[in-house]
Amino acid sequence: MIATAISWTDANQAYLVTEFACLKRRLAGEPNGSPRWENNDDDAPPAIDRLAELFGLSKFEREVLLLCAGVEMDSELAALCAQAQAYPQRSYATFGLAMGLLREPHWSALTPSRPLRQFRLVEAQAGHGLAAAPLRIDERILHYVAGINAPDSRLLGLMRMSDFPDWIAGSHRAIGAKAGHLLAAQVLLHLCGDDPQGQEDVACMAAREAGRQLFVLRAEDLPAPGSDLDQIAVLWQREALLLPGALMIQCGSAGLTASARHLVEKAHGSVIVASREPVRLDRYFIRFDVDKPAPAEQKLLWRRAIVDDGQPERALVDALSEQFRLSAKTIFSTCPAVRTKELWSVCRSMASPKLEDLAQRIEPRAGWEDLVLPEPQLAILRQLTSQVRHRMKVYEDWGFAAKGSRGLGVSALFMGESGTGKTLAAEVLARELDLDVYRIDLSAVVSKYIGETEKNLKKVFDAAEEGGVLLLFDEADALFGKRSEVKDSHDRYANIEVSYLLQRMEAYQGLAILTTNLKSGVDRAFQRRLRFIVNFPFPDAAQREAIWSRVFPAGTPGEGLDGKKLAQLNVAGGNIRNIALNAAFLAAEAGGPVNMRRVLEAARLEAQKMERPLSEAETRGWI
């Protein structure tokens, strides 16, 4: 007779039937034997044996669990339990019945420290003495004994299963391989950095290396410390053994909450804590930094991801890699959805929303033709633009980035009186580089409370990290001051705030610009940490004439406007634009063209605002 191999599921079901038959004979007072496992795969024991091994069950505890499962799955066994207890209504198992019926009984099996109750494999119904309380096998455990290993439904509403990523950055793959060995040894891992998607990729790889399925839970979704949280901890400890599983706790903006910390301490096993900033834990752990891929690696990812138009243009790949900091998952999910020529604008749109609540967005519309500055200043601005464009070649291809990360950001300080064109110049740069401009008013960011200014600045830089934006820190006068003028602890702390700002500007991979009206207010030591410093001079007569010649759009009706006479007005370009706009509204109201008389009326309004009367020489010959 030829033996036929049967599936593990069928063999497990048959084994349960024989186990229940042994229990029924014992309840009936008949001799019973030992069931035989009829599966050819020695590495796959029956589910009940695997369960006993995982939780360290004694023979008695194993049979208690079988008895509870049999009551649920075999009505004849349930009837025999009622008969053994002399009450038809008691068709359930109890500890008392088990102690008198099963082999090698021990009272310690009833204690909360033993696996049956510690891991809630069975539940004793309240309102009865412990020995007489009805015992019910947990539904998740019942399914497992029956051969179905599906995650507990009570946890699926709180956490999600994470699939292994189709694409993963090379640096993250290396971290995942190292972390996998530690996770297999049940060492607590902490993933720290600015790439939450990359952290999940690393965790997935580490879990697979450790032979586990990764589940992800957000710290903010956890209940407050209490009985509900304790139940989650117990249920997860159970799942970690049954699946087997690994748990990743994602700490959002709130960091490691009290609930998350409690769960980390309770849920021993394969646990990963992920956060942006380092956290302190009471258990031994090993930390890995997982940041968004560096520009050189972003370049490789973009090249692999862009497949719809054949070989992508090198200039586009370089521009995307040097300007944006995106996770591998974002890159590979974005490319199939859009055409290659639209990638830049799509990447810009992904980065912008994070800054909307922190800064004012300025639509860059001005071009080089709108900027009136001396040639040396224009040359510096063009050089600044060139450095932003060629960062990939110099930093990565030529190896400057390997010398150190400090100072790789492109930062600039624009100094000059109000209205001399500092913000306009930032718009010109943004339009030339196809970036969004976000203006941050430093006078609103600076706080009198120690540490708050740094927190506010951190939020801005963290939100801008994905790139595609020019950060314009306006009104830097609120922060800058000479170190020689330090008089008390508040002045010293102001220098710390400036240092923090400059440090973040140096590390920021995009373009960051500071503006100040105080040319003498910036310490030379601070100036050395800025890549470019541009002095915006007050415009002379020739420059003012050039500004007047460009200030009115082509569609504005004009009559008798004299640029040389208008240039006599000793005001900056910002004031000239205000006067021109007010003169246009006066002309629109009168239903006529913009002429010298209406410009004069608008100039007087601007002078009142500036609290500076117009001199006779400035308006001589206007009307």
Side-chain angles (χ1 to χ4, degrees), residues 13 190 263 328 463 467:
Q13 290 291 335
H190 175 27
L263 183 59

Side-chain angles (χ1 to χ4, degrees), residues 409-424:
V410 181
S411 56
L413 174 67
F414 291 175
M415 298 192 300
E417 294 182 28
S418 179
T420 51
K422 301 185 294 296
T423 301
L424 182 67

Side-chain angles (χ1 to χ4, degrees), residues 241-273:
L241 294 170
L242 294 173
L243 290 170
L247 178 63
M248 180 183 189
I249 302 175
Q250 290 180 329
C251 302
S253 57
L256 188 66
T257 62
S259 296
R261 184 178 296 277
H262 181 81
L263 183 59
V264 170
E265 297 304 320
K266 291 283 187 180
H268 294 281
S270 300
V271 178
I272 303 169
V273 176

Side-chain angles (χ1 to χ4, degrees), residues 381-548:
L381 294 176
R382 291 192 179 97
Q383 177 64 19
L384 193 158
T385 306
S386 175
Q387 290 204 12
V388 173
R389 280 204 178 103
H390 298 293
R391 284 176 301 168
M392 176 63 69
K393 178 185 292 185
V394 174
Y395 290 164
E396 304 298 335
D397 297 348
W398 291 0
F400 273 77
K403 295 289 186 180
S405 60
R406 182 178 177 183
L408 297 184
V410 181
S411 56
L413 174 67
F414 291 175
M415 298 192 300
E417 294 182 28
S418 179
T420 51
K422 301 185 294 296
T423 301
L424 182 67
E427 285 190 50
V428 172
L429 294 177
R431 183 180 176 186
E432 179 72 13
L433 295 167
D434 200 10
L435 303 175
D436 290 316
V437 180
Y438 279 88
R439 177 184 175 275
I440 300 96
D441 187 349
L442 277 176
S443 62
V445 170
V446 173
S447 172
K448 66 179 180 180
Y449 298 105
I450 291 178
E452 287 300 312
T453 300
E454 288 91 330
K455 289 181 181 178
N456 295 336
L457 290 171
K458 183 179 182 301
K459 289 179 182 178
V460 172
F461 280 104
D462 288 350
E465 67 183 3
E466 289 192 356
V469 298
L470 183 156
L471 291 179
L472 178 64
F473 292 92
D474 215 356
E475 303 296 337
D477 314 346
L479 200 57
F480 280 127
K482 286 188 176 181
R483 276 189 273 196
S484 59
E485 296 175 355
V486 171
K487 298 177 182 178
D488 56 28
S489 60
H490 292 286
D491 294 330
R492 284 191 292 273
Y493 198 79
N495 286 328
I496 295 174
E497 294 170 339
V498 174
S499 295
Y500 178 81
L501 173 60
L502 296 179
Q503 172 195 336
R504 290 303 302 258
M505 288 178 68
E506 286 179 312
Y508 177 56
Q509 289 197 4
L511 173 58
I513 297 174
L514 284 166
T515 71
T516 179
N517 298 337
L518 302 177
K519 294 184 179 181
S520 61
V522 183
D523 193 302
R524 288 188 178 275
F526 293 146
Q527 292 184 30
R528 286 195 294 269
R529 299 178 64 180
L530 295 159
R531 182 78 63 85
F532 295 94
I533 296 180
V534 185
N535 288 294
F536 286 73
F538 192 89
D540 58 22
Q543 291 167 350
R544 293 197 296 272
E545 183 178 355
I547 295 172
W548 277 110

